[in-house]
Amino acid sequence: MALTMVTGSGPMNAALSATEAPRTLRAAFTVELQSDRARRVYAFDPRKQGAERWQVVDWQGDDDELEEVAANWAAESAPDGRLFPDDLRASLGRSVEVNDAGHAWQISFRHTPSKNDGEFDVWAAQRLQATAWLDPVGERFLRIDYRLPKPVAGPEGGTLSQYNQSYFLRTEPRWGMSYVSGFSIELEARAAFRKIERRYSANIVKVDFFFASAEAQKAFEDERTAKPQLMTGLSGPAR
């Protein structure tokens, strides 16, 4: 059964609210990055200082692109911000097409660029097919997929012949917030008589969520008690 649904109501609104963690929620995590040629395991903890915040746990194989992915992630002011998909509501827009597959809702949508999106995100939004999977009983998103339906000219020249990107979501048990537990990227392009291929994945193998302060945690819990249907609405310093 297929139908058009407004994103601001029902199980979808509850699932979106669960992705909108307050800015005061932080995460220490261990991530496994893997490609066909290499495997890297890193540990990040925002409570530590300097180089101790992002540390190498395991290093196998050689892959310069995988190292570049890790270096860019480590250089971010708040690497744990990638675990919080807090712009998903803006990405879905006001209404979506929903197919009830029984065990889950298959949601087809056109990615709407948000203020956090870069130039590539805006370019990709016009060309990629987006699909979200939602558990209507648990009222939580399970995964988000982006797929290129046909080859197109790349944003910087050449031809992008294949692009698949998936985000996998889980629910942390204490506060019920959704977080990105892993993602995968598969890209194939041709430019200047050469073929470019990128395939790698990230898997969060360990994570510890906590609030930036006891006061922030109490404020969140008080808000949730006062409005149990909402899990967002707090403001605070950037992660």
Side-chain angles (χ1 to χ4, degrees):
M1 182 177 64
L3 66 155
T4 300
M5 183 171 293
V6 176
T7 55
S9 63
M12 193 174 305
N13 184 57
L16 285 170
S17 295
T19 69
E20 297 165 337
R23 292 290 180 180
T24 50
L25 185 65
R26 302 302 304 269
F29 63 88
T30 301
V31 59
E32 176 189 52
L33 291 175
Q34 193 163 3
S35 70
D36 294 337
R37 301 185 298 274
R39 175 179 177 270
R40 305 281 186 267
V41 180
Y42 301 93
F44 170 76
D45 192 333
R47 294 165 293 195
K48 296 182 179 180
Q49 301 296 322
E52 293 186 352
R53 297 182 77 206
W54 183 278
Q55 295 186 337
V56 178
V57 177
D58 193 18
W59 185 288
Q60 299 176 22
D62 296 315
D63 190 329
D64 293 340
E65 290 184 350
L66 195 64
E67 291 171 25
E68 182 179 359
V69 169
N72 290 337
W73 195 347
E76 295 175 1
S77 59
D80 56 327
R82 293 200 187 190
L83 274 61
F84 301 98
D86 52 8
D87 63 346
L88 187 57
R89 186 184 296 272
S91 298
L92 263 65
R94 299 185 63 180
S95 64
V96 293
E97 296 298 318
V98 177
N99 180 48
D100 188 349
H103 66 288
W105 286 357
Q106 182 182 11
I107 301 168
S108 300
F109 66 99
R110 177 71 67 179
H111 178 96
T112 302
S114 70
K115 62 181 180 180
N116 296 324
D117 286 338
E119 292 183 6
F120 176 79
D121 299 299
V122 175
W123 176 89
Q126 301 173 353
R127 296 161 176 84
L128 299 180
Q129 292 181 348
T131 305
W133 293 89
L134 183 148
D135 173 7
V137 177
E139 298 185 330
R140 293 294 183 270
F141 284 101
L142 305 174
R143 64 182 286 169
I144 312 291
D145 298 320
Y146 294 94
R147 185 179 69 86
L148 182 69
K150 61 182 180 180
V152 296
E156 299 178 358
T159 300
L160 183 63
S161 55
Q162 182 177 356
Y163 186 90
N164 297 307
Q165 184 168 3
S166 295
Y167 295 92
F168 306 95
L169 284 82
R170 293 181 181 173
T171 303
E172 59 82 22
R174 184 171 183 181
W175 293 290
M177 307 304 298
S178 294
Y179 70 96
V180 176
S181 62
F183 63 85
S184 64
I185 293 178
E186 184 176 9
L187 177 153
E188 183 177 300
R190 293 185 180 275
F193 304 103
R194 65 191 182 99
K195 183 178 181 180
I196 302 171
E197 292 182 307
R198 293 182 181 176
R199 291 179 176 84
Y200 65 89
S201 63
N203 182 33
I204 305 298
V205 295
K206 182 180 179 181
V207 62
D208 175 28
F209 292 97
F210 55 91
F211 279 84
S213 67
E215 293 77 12
Q217 179 176 328
K218 184 178 185 303
F220 173 79
E221 292 177 333
D222 289 346
E223 179 80 2
R224 185 173 60 173
T225 300
K227 299 178 181 180
Q229 75 278 16
L230 297 178
M231 305 187 74
T232 184
L234 297 181
S235 60
R239 294 191 180 95

